[in-house]
Amino acid sequence: MEKKDIIMCRCEDVTLEDLHKKIDEGYETFEDLKRLLRIGMGPCQANTCGILIQKELAKYLDKKIENVKTHHSRPMIQGISLEKINKEIKK
Amino acid sequence: MKKNICIIGAGISGMSIAYHLAIQGVKDILVIDKGYFTNGATGRCGAGVRQQWQTKMNCLLAKMSMEFFEKANEILDYDDDVELKQEGYLILATTIEEENQFKKNVILQNRLGIPSKVVNRKEALEIVPHLNPDSFLSATFCKTDGHLNPFKMTEAFYKACLRLGVEFHFFEEVKDLEVNDHKVNKVITDKEIYDVSVCINAAGGYASEIGKMADIDIPVFSENHEILATEPVEPMQGPMVMSFSKNIYCQQVPHGAFLIGRSNFNALPSHDMSSSWEFLDEMSQTVCDIMPKIGKLNIVRQWGGSYNMSKDHQPIISKSIELDNFYMACGFSGHGFMLAPMTGLLISELVLGQKPVLNIETLSIKRFLNDKKINIEKSVV
Ligand SMILES: Cc1cc2nc3c(=O)[nH]c(=O)nc-3n(C[C@H](O)[C@H](O)[C@H](O)COP(=O)(O)OP(=O)(O)OC[C@H]3O[C@@H](n4cnc5c(N)ncnc54)[C@H](O)[C@@H]3O)c2cc1C
């Protein structure tokens, strides 16, 4: 399969080609790539792409996987509407 | 190792300073950052750019910076797009005092060439139809205010700097500064010791700590400010909606997500950047009051970041009083992103001994020697 057809982050539609292009420009950490490609910023919060991208970074940069950090995970664990929170407060 | 200029901090300020020096032909510039690309406030900010301010200096800095942002892709020859969205800022007045103050602000802004105007409730609803009409009295609107992609704007500066030969060391931390004869002679990091001719403190939330390393007192402190992002939806809001009295800013970015943030008046000075449930509680109430339709959106992510606060909520863009080769750009109090082009230009002019394009006495650290001289910017969230 061609690199441009391999999806690495499904939430934000980021391909292997996109990923390699940015790594080639010199961005080598998940945190860098997250900010520039939006990997891990979608609804799944890197639950799907996190490990895939970690493995790819290790392979492409010829590093041990233990030495490649994934991103800092943030709340919310699951999406919730502002309205629902507001209703709960009012109860 | 010898270096001509050492800039501490590779946020938007450090980047812009490096660019403005390099473009004037300055060689041998090193930028050091203890973290990754956009590790500090720059990578955590709302990236709103507005020119509607209460103090003259903030108005001018923002207006001249906006002129840069409008042409940033071309000026910096960027191979991507900084995603400038220029659909305005709508600032809601919810009290009579605010209405009166906003009228005065608009007069000042217009005098400086900023095209803001007072709009009544009906006009405001035409600009943002999903506002709750009962939640505000009137508003001000400036159609040339807007928003940028903070990562791409920083990358645009970064890549231009690289082409101009600026050197960057990420994941290297400045641990100490050696001062001799009223000069910072050495920058000591966890990896190296540099002999420098000029040292520039652009360390954002850590500006005061960097000052202490050179035995000088910079009257700024850090404060956690929280923000959230919703799921992306079809375009439904052009301008940033903002209210100082209701403590909120809310912007739909080109990607489709809404970025919504507010201040926590109980936050104590610290480097805390955690996320709290209290923020979500308060924010959901404010959003559902002002913009009930946005209340329906799911929150995808929340995070915190540091505002580096100064006493008058205006930046310190200044040479040090005590040291001959030490400069600082800090204390942006939550608006350093939108002022960055001018921050870079002004610091470069100070370093090169040129006459600054603006009289920046009011941004000098000297103003805090006599607190009567300070003029507090109140248009802040
Ligand atoms: C939630 C939030 C929303 C915001 N919204 C807006 C907005 O809408 N519009 C706007 O204009 N501004 C906004 N801001 C403010 C804006 O983010 C900052 O004013 C701006 O990014 C400051 O940039 P900087 O380069 O000065 O600092 P930073 O981006 O913080 O960069 C400083 C850098 O210095 C590095 N550093 C620190 N100490 C050391 C050391 N010892 N050695 C080496 N490196 C070091 C850090 O790693 C960091 O990368 C917001 C801020 C937050 C937190």
Side-chain angles (χ1 to χ4, degrees):
Chain A
M1 232 177 14
E2 283 188 56
K3 280 191 196 177
K4 68 173 178 24
D5 298 323
I6 300 173
I7 306 286
M8 298 300 285
C9 165
R10 283 197 240 161
C11 296
E12 299 291 340
D13 218 3
V14 179
T15 66
L16 185 60
E17 184 179 37
D18 300 329
L19 190 68
H20 282 180
K21 178 171 175 279
K22 274 299 178 212
I23 302 176
D24 290 341
E25 283 176 17
Y27 302 100
E28 296 193 345
T29 71
F30 199 110
E31 296 288 353
D32 290 340
L33 296 163
K34 168 179 165 183
R35 283 159 176 76
L36 289 158
L37 293 172
R38 305 194 56 88
I39 50 170
M41 279 194 181
C44 95
Q45 292 291 291
N47 276 321
T48 316
C49 68
I51 291 178
L52 282 178
I53 290 170
Q54 185 190 28
K55 275 193 194 152
E56 187 53 37
L57 271 171
K59 196 167 103 191
Y60 202 68
L61 296 169
D62 200 15
K63 284 189 178 169
K64 283 207 175 116
I65 194 141
E66 311 79 277
N67 298 334
V68 178
K69 281 199 196 136
T70 56
H71 83 324
H72 180 81
S73 61
R74 301 190 185 289
M76 315 291 290
I77 293 167
Q78 195 182 348
I80 179 168
S81 74
L82 286 147
E83 199 178 62
K84 276 194 191 133
I85 300 177
N86 190 35
K87 276 196 192 126
E88 284 303 313
I89 302 167
K90 295 233 161 94
K91 265 188 199 163
Chain B
M1 197 184 290
K2 253 191 149 64
K3 286 285 159 200
N4 181 13
I5 302 216
C6 176
I7 300 171
I8 307 170
I12 192 79
S13 304
M15 292 281 181
S16 173
I17 295 166
Y19 168 78
H20 280 93
L21 283 166
I23 198 79
Q24 297 209 58
V26 177
K27 299 275 181 263
D28 200 18
I29 302 170
L30 169 66
V31 186
I32 302 179
D33 200 295
K34 66 178 175 183
Y36 47 77
F37 177 79
T38 68
N39 172 61
T42 301
R44 298 165 176 274
C45 79
V49 283
R50 73 170 143 120
Q51 303 153 92
Q52 300 181 72
W53 290 98
Q54 186 169 324
T55 62
K56 183 178 168 193
M57 190 42 96
N58 272 350
C59 285
L60 286 171
L61 292 173
K63 175 174 178 268
M64 293 167 87
S65 293
M66 184 53 108
E67 286 158 10
F68 183 97
F69 289 133
E70 284 169 348
K71 298 196 203 87
N73 284 327
E74 295 89 75
I75 298 174
L76 300 172
D77 198 12
Y78 187 37
D79 60 353
D80 200 338
D81 179 10
V82 297
E83 293 173 15
L84 172 64
K85 169 186 165 189
Q86 227 170 348
E87 293 183 38
Y89 257 60
L90 186 72
I91 306 185
L92 307 179
T94 74
T95 64
I96 304 286
E97 295 77 54
E98 265 188 334
E99 278 203 312
N100 293 335
Q101 182 62 49
F102 286 6
K103 280 184 200 143
K104 287 189 211 152
N105 294 357
V106 166
I107 293 171
L108 168 73
Q109 291 154 8
N110 292 170
R111 190 155 58 75
L112 300 171
I114 295 165
S116 55
K117 59 180 182 184
V118 174
V119 293
N120 63 28
R121 215 183 320 194
K122 187 166 158 280
E123 292 162 322
L125 285 161
E126 279 160 19
I127 299 168
V128 179
H130 56 259
L131 285 173
N132 166 12
D134 298 330
S135 69
F136 67 103
L137 300 173
S138 64
T140 64
F141 182 64
C142 175
K143 62 176 197 289
T144 55
D145 286 351
H147 177 267
L148 291 144
N149 181 322
F151 312 119
K152 295 198 172 177
M153 188 59 236
T154 313
E155 188 187 41
F157 271 126
Y158 175 53
K159 285 184 167 169
C161 283
L162 287 177
R163 284 195 305 271
L164 291 163
V166 176
E167 203 180 320
F168 287 86
H169 293 183
F170 289 98
F171 297 105
E172 181 169 338
E173 184 169 353
V174 174
K175 293 286 195 188
D176 206 0
L177 299 173
E178 189 186 282
V179 175
N180 230 322
D181 206 15
H182 307 290
K183 276 189 168 167
V184 173
N185 288 334
K186 288 188 182 13
V187 175
I188 300 156
T189 75
D190 53 0
K191 300 204 172 125
E192 188 77 60
I193 296 175
Y194 304 94
D195 291 315
V196 299
S197 317
V198 170
C199 179
I200 302 168
N201 176 358
Y206 290 84
S208 144
E209 280 83 350
I210 297 290
K212 286 202 184 85
M213 292 177 192
D215 285 330
I216 67 163
D217 182 34
I218 308 176
V220 290
F221 63 91
S222 291
E223 198 176 84
N224 185 9
H225 279 243
E226 294 184 61
I227 181 167
L228 63 80
T230 69
E231 58 190 321
V233 287
E234 290 298 309
M236 60 180 275
Q237 180 177 311
M240 169 83 100
V241 171
M242 184 165 207
S243 165
F244 307 126
S245 44
K246 298 224 171 183
N247 187 13
I248 184 171
Y249 58 86
C250 171
Q251 166 95 57
Q252 187 176 23
V253 301
H255 169 261
F258 276 84
L259 293 185
I260 319 177
R262 72 189 285 127
S263 299
N264 170 7
F265 299 120
N266 300 320
L268 297 170
S270 78
H271 292 298
D272 172 39
M273 290 196 287
S274 56
S275 300
S276 69
W277 57 265
E278 289 92 338
F279 164 76
L280 286 182
D281 268 11
E282 289 165 11
M283 186 56 102
S284 64
Q285 295 179 56
T286 311
V287 171
C288 294
D289 165 24
I290 304 181
M291 293 166 290
K293 229 174 139 179
I294 294 177
K296 306 240 174 276
L297 302 181
N298 282 318
I299 306 158
V300 175
R301 227 170 36 253
Q302 78 176 102
W303 67 96
S306 278
Y307 273 22
N308 189 239
M309 304 296 295
S310 72
K311 272 192 217 166
D312 55 3
H313 305 157
Q314 297 196 66
I316 303 176
I317 296 180
S318 177
K319 186 175 168 173
S320 145
I321 303 170
E322 301 88 348
L323 305 166
D324 295 337
N325 67 342
F326 188 68
Y327 299 81
M328 64 204 91
C330 56
F332 291 102
S333 311
H335 347 108
F337 184 80
M338 66 181 86
L339 307 180
M342 284 306 287
T343 301
L345 177 65
L346 292 165
I347 291 276
S348 73
E349 289 169 336
L350 288 177
V351 170
L352 296 172
Q354 299 162 345
K355 186 169 181 280
V357 285
L358 284 177
N359 177 350
I360 50 168
E361 244 166 70
T362 55
L363 301 180
S364 164
I365 191 166
K366 287 188 189 146
R367 70 188 188 267
F368 301 111
L369 296 176
N370 175 359
D371 277 354
K372 279 195 201 101
K373 277 195 183 159
I374 67 174
N375 176 12
I376 296 178
E377 173 62 75
K378 298 208 179 70
S379 295
V380 290
V381 173

